[in-house]
DNA sequence: CGGGGATTAT
DNA sequence: ATAATCC
């Protein structure tokens, strides 16, 4: 909608191939669902406007911007896809409370104007006494959420919904209740009721199609089904781990912690299509993907260590559910981005990608693919200073690189002449220009993957060749394993105590001071009441399920 | 019949 | 390293 203000007020869908992957809420009023076919969507809403969303660049950009805003409130931000986040705000709440304690009466939280403007709801009863001060603290959490949502709207003009709760499960479920552009608070005592309200177990985060099939085969469908069956019984049917987790979840219990998301662990691109049956077209498409991928890798700034390619083979039985096969190998040092130019050698990258491809697909037999993908995994920080450890490692790479090139003469020269990559990518327009580039560079290339393959095939042993050039990844040292394992569960409390360079003197430096001040506790309007409690309601259970009635 | 990602198991 | 599962 931000990209196409001209469609304001119209039902709008985002199309990828023949799928409407998502839509605005106006379109949803017509019954359009996520991942519905274009056909069906247009049948429900003939005036539906569709925009192509196969290129995720702008979504990735906005996702990063949202993430950066969230990180100004707390470093404890866990990313769930492009538009979904968990924030651990215990330390923010504590600081907010202590900072305002002397001048502030917590009872006024019930009556806050900012919360009213943020379309705050409460799921379940809010008038119960709680031995702990969880009610007060969660109300502060709701204020923080309202402040965050305001910031996101002011800076990005994005609306969003939020759920506020004492654990991730309830927060996620609550966030789904009142959409769009609203937020929902659920107190711990209302957890079981919320879980009852969702009904199907498939709504529990982490329970997808496969788990649901397993449960259904045991006649378990609803949260109440899980509650009824004894734990020992359930463990035998679906395994101890899943059984225990679902038993907890059914009561609104979830002890998993917010795991701060660091840098990406992989950067990849995929393209799906009806069918590709020619090696030349595979090469063309992988080349196009690789060129875009190296751009993304340059933006990231780190050096990729390994390459993985993904293939989905056509499956006559289930057209869409064809499983993916992947092959992965270390990037030989000689095709890391050159230390001098910082550029990738696309030709050699493509040769390596085609080698991986041939490890999946036996091209001596007919094949047809419906998806190709390529990704970089495992990254190393790029060095700057001359004395840094990574700089040292890079220099070693540079030395090896010379040696490797010399051992690579088989692909350094050889022929042109091979009749490949004469395909005209008429199918989808997305990589048209990239394809043209590909053909240009291929003709100036001294070698093609196909000619290379025939070299390999004529040598005695393909396995030998792969041994030499499709290197296994270096194993982690014991120290590295230990280091990566031990940072597994420092509590978030501890993480919140890390010193921030910008405000070293602060008591709780995890909260940015400037940002913090954008979250004023309103002390006026003391007579206002919490939205859902503004009118006294009969003690009718229906009210707990109908928002703000 | 999507395009990213992540985590977990083996 | 690879597959399976999930969002």
């Amino acid at each position: 909608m931000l990209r196409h203000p001209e469609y304001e007020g119209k039902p709008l869908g985002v199309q990828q191939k023949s799928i409407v992957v998502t839509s605005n809420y106006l379109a949803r009023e017509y019954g359009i669902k996520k991942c519905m076919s274009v056909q069906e969507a247009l049948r429900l809403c003939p005036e539906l406007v569709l925009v192509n969303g196969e290129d995720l660049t702008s979504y990735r950009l906005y996702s990063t911007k949202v993430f950066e805003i969230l990180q100004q409130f707390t470093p404890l931000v866990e990313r769930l896809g492009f538009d979904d986040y968990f924030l651990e705000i215990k330390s923010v709440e504590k600081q907010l409370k202590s900072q305002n304690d002397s001048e502030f009466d917590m009872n006024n939280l019930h009556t806050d104007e900012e919360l009213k403007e943020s379309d705050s709801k409460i799921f379940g009863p809010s008038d119960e006494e709680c031995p702990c001060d969880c009610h007060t603290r969660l109300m502060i959490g709701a204020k923080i959420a309202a402040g965050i949502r305001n910031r996101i709207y002011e800076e990005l003009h994005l609306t969003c919904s939020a759920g506020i709760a004492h654990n991730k499960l309830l927060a996620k479920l609550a966030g789904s209740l009142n959409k769009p552009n609203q937020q929902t608070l659920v107190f711990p005592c209302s957890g079981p009721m919320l879980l009852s309200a969702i009904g199907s177990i498939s709504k529990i985060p982490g329970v997808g199609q496969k788990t649901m099939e397993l449960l259904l085969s045991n006649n378990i469908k609803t949260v109440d089904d899980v509650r009824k069956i004894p734990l020992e019984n359930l463990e035998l049917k679906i395994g101890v781990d899943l059984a225990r987790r679902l038993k907890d979840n059914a009561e609104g219990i979830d002890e998993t912690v917010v795991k701060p998301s660091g840098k990406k662990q992989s950067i990849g691109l995929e393209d799906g299509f009806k069918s590709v049956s020619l090696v030349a077209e595979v090469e063309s498409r992988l080349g196009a993907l690789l060129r875009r991928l190296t751009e993304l890798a340059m933006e990231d700034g780190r050096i990729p260590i390994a390459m993985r390619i993904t293939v989905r083979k056509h499956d006559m039985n289930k057209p869409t559910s064809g499983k993916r096969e992947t092959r992965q190998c270390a990037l030989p040092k000689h095709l890391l981005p050159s230390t001098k130019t910082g550029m990738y050698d696309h030709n050699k990258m493509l040769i390596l990608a085609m080698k991986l491809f041939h490890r999946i697909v036996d091209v001596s037999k007919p094949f047809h693919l419906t998806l190709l993908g390529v990704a970089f995994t495992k990254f190393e920080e790029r060095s700057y200073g001359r004395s840094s450890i990574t700089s040292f490692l890079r220099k070693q790479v540079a030395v090896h690189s010379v040696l490797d090139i010399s051992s690579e003469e088989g692909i350094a020269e050889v022929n042109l002449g091979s009749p490949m990559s004469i395909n005209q990518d008429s199918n989808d327009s997305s990589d048209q220009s990239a394809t043209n580039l590909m053909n240009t560079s291929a003709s100036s290339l001294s070698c093609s993957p196909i000619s290379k393959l025939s070299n390999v095939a004529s040598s005695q042993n393909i396995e030998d060749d792969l041994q030499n050039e499709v290197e296994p990844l270096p194993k982690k040292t014991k120290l590295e394993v230990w280091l990566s394992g031990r940072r597994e569960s420092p509590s978030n409390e501890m993480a919140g105590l890390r010193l921030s360079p910008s405000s070293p003197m602060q008591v709780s430096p995890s909260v940015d001071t400037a940002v913090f001040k954008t979250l004023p506790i309103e002390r006026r309007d003391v007579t206002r009441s919490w939205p859902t409690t503004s009118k006294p309601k009969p003690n009718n259970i229906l009210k707990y399920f109908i928002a703000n009635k």
Side-chain angles (χ1 to χ4, degrees):
Chain A
M1 290 165 72
L2 290 181
R3 279 213 312 267
H4 297 278
E6 68 270 25
Y7 297 141
E8 184 185 342
K10 305 228 171 184
L12 179 64
V14 176
Q15 180 175 5
Q16 288 173 333
K17 299 298 186 298
S18 60
I19 298 287
V20 177
V21 290
T22 191
S23 70
N24 65 7
Y25 285 84
L26 186 51
R28 294 186 198 189
E29 289 176 19
Y30 292 80
I32 290 168
K33 306 287 186 191
K34 283 179 282 188
C35 291
M36 181 178 273
S37 78
V38 169
Q39 264 205 328
E40 194 177 356
L42 285 175
R43 200 154 40 74
L44 291 170
C45 175
E47 63 270 40
L48 176 68
V49 179
L50 290 171
V51 299
N52 188 287
E54 290 166 18
D55 184 343
L56 303 189
T57 302
S58 68
Y59 307 112
R60 197 182 288 117
L61 278 173
Y62 270 99
S63 179
T64 300
K65 288 179 184 173
V66 169
F67 187 67
E68 284 169 357
I69 290 176
L70 299 180
Q71 287 219 271
Q72 293 175 9
F73 289 83
T74 171
L76 306 181
V77 181
E78 177 178 339
R79 216 171 176 249
L80 224 73
F82 272 16
D83 71 342
D84 220 354
Y85 301 88
F86 289 111
L87 275 74
E88 167 64 71
I89 53 171
K90 185 184 295 172
S91 66
V92 182
E93 170 253 323
K94 279 183 176 170
Q95 182 166 340
L96 200 57
K97 187 176 177 194
S98 68
Q99 188 169 294
N100 293 278
D101 237 355
S102 51
E103 34 178 329
F104 176 70
D105 178 358
M106 285 299 161
N107 293 328
N108 296 347
L109 274 173
H110 288 268
T111 66
D112 199 275
E113 183 62 23
E114 183 177 7
L115 281 178
K116 189 149 205 164
E117 286 169 4
S118 69
D119 254 314
S120 265
K121 316 275 194 256
I122 298 181
F123 174 87
S126 53
D127 47 1
E128 278 182 32
E129 289 302 323
C130 192
C132 65
D133 62 342
C134 65
H135 279 43
T136 301
R137 296 179 51 199
L138 283 165
M139 297 263 219
I140 297 175
K143 269 196 74 68
I144 295 168
I148 292 173
R149 291 173 54 228
N150 274 333
R151 270 287 294 282
I152 292 173
Y153 186 77
E154 284 166 14
E155 294 197 14
L156 304 178
H157 294 291
L158 288 176
T159 58
C160 62
S161 298
I164 302 97
H166 76 293
N167 67 36
K168 293 207 289 181
L169 170 66
L170 295 179
K172 173 93 173 140
L173 294 175
S176 307
L177 288 181
N178 295 297
K179 298 167 79 169
N181 201 16
Q182 296 163 83
Q183 63 180 56
T184 308
L185 169 61
V186 51
F187 294 118
C189 55
S190 303
M193 200 191 321
L194 177 52
L195 266 293
S196 298
I198 67 170
S200 168
I201 305 172
S202 63
K203 301 255 182 77
I204 293 178
V207 177
Q209 182 186 320
K210 293 295 180 179
T211 307
M212 207 51 209
E213 285 170 13
L214 174 63
L215 291 168
L216 286 175
S217 73
N218 287 283
N219 235 325
I220 298 167
K221 180 165 58 186
T222 67
V223 171
D224 281 326
D225 292 339
V226 173
R227 287 180 181 153
K228 274 184 284 186
I229 180 171
L231 175 61
E232 297 73 21
N233 206 329
L234 190 61
E235 284 177 346
L236 293 178
K237 296 191 170 190
I238 64 174
V240 286
D241 288 355
L242 182 58
R244 286 172 186 168
R245 181 166 65 88
L246 289 185
K247 269 291 188 182
D248 276 348
N249 287 174
E251 306 301 329
I253 297 170
D254 171 22
E255 308 272 355
T256 64
V257 302
V258 174
K259 186 180 177 186
S261 301
K263 299 201 175 178
K264 279 199 275 275
Q265 301 187 24
S266 70
I267 303 177
L269 294 169
E270 303 174 339
D271 192 11
F273 31 73
K274 291 288 186 196
S275 179
V276 165
S277 307
L278 303 174
V279 175
E281 192 177 0
V282 170
E283 193 181 323
S284 164
R285 289 178 178 276
L286 280 182
L289 289 171
L290 265 173
R291 244 172 269 103
R292 282 205 288 148
L293 182 61
T294 51
E295 284 175 26
L296 290 177
M298 294 293 297
E299 285 175 29
D300 180 274
R302 291 171 296 168
I303 309 287
I305 301 302
M307 175 193 290
R308 166 185 302 175
I309 76 138
T310 302
V311 160
R312 184 178 64 199
K313 293 172 176 165
H314 193 81
D315 188 335
M316 274 105 72
N317 311 326
K318 307 196 94 185
T320 180
S321 79
K323 290 164 207 128
R324 291 147 130 88
E325 289 180 78
T326 67
R327 295 296 182 273
Q328 171 178 339
C329 73
L331 287 173
K333 300 168 185 83
H334 62 267
L335 50 66
L336 293 181
S338 145
T339 28
K340 276 206 162 77
T341 66
M343 302 295 285
Y344 288 87
D345 185 331
H346 287 110
N347 299 330
K348 290 178 182 163
M349 298 265 306
L350 181 54
I351 290 166
L352 183 65
M354 289 306 289
K355 275 183 191 160
L356 288 170
F357 170 75
H358 282 107
R359 264 166 65 183
I360 304 183
V361 178
D362 177 2
V363 297
S364 70
K365 298 171 191 159
F367 63 91
H368 38 302
L369 314 177
T370 60
L371 179 140
L372 282 168
V374 57
F376 289 145
T377 64
K378 314 193 184 190
F379 297 93
E380 182 178 290
E381 291 296 337
R382 213 180 267 267
S383 67
Y384 295 101
R386 278 192 304 258
S387 59
S388 72
I389 181 66
T390 45
S391 172
F392 169 77
L393 292 172
R394 281 276 72 73
K395 286 173 190 165
Q396 301 303 300
V397 166
V399 171
H400 286 301
S401 149
V402 173
L403 300 177
D404 284 342
I405 293 281
S406 61
S407 70
E408 186 84 20
E409 43 200 300
I411 57 175
E413 8 194 314
V414 198
N415 61 77
L416 318 167
S418 90
M420 42 71 84
S421 66
I422 314 175
N423 79 96
Q424 57 283 43
D425 228 311
S426 59
N427 187 354
D428 47 355
S429 55
S430 61
D431 51 20
Q432 194 69 53
S433 64
T435 299
N436 293 339
L437 282 175
M438 167 62 212
N439 289 338
T440 308
S441 64
S443 55
S444 66
L445 237 188
S446 43
C447 153
S448 79
I450 286 186
S451 60
K452 179 61 180 175
L453 174 70
S454 48
N455 290 347
V456 171
S458 63
S459 78
Q460 322 93 312
N461 196 339
I462 294 180
E463 221 39 54
D464 274 7
D465 198 82
L466 290 178
Q467 287 293 328
N468 291 339
E469 297 187 8
V470 186
E471 304 170 8
L473 284 167
K475 298 225 188 317
K476 272 192 177 179
T477 64
K478 287 184 180 176
L479 176 62
E480 285 172 321
V481 171
W482 184 78
L483 284 173
S484 65
R486 75 179 275 287
R487 71 162 197 89
E488 199 41 56
S489 55
S491 80
N492 287 329
E493 286 282 45
M494 295 301 291
L497 293 174
R498 279 181 310 193
L499 288 182
S500 149
S502 59
S503 52
M505 299 306 288
Q506 237 176 292
V507 179
S508 190
S510 61
V511 181
D512 184 275
T513 312
V515 172
F516 193 75
K517 295 202 166 132
T518 67
L519 271 180
I521 297 281
E522 299 288 339
R523 285 173 292 280
R524 306 162 292 144
D525 293 321
V526 294
T527 59
R528 305 283 193 141
S529 67
W530 188 263
T532 50
T533 57
S534 55
K535 292 171 264 184
K537 289 195 178 71
N539 192 11
N540 175 348
I541 198 153
L542 183 64
K543 75 179 179 185
Y544 302 135
F545 299 91
I546 300 180
N548 222 16
K549 181 157 186 284

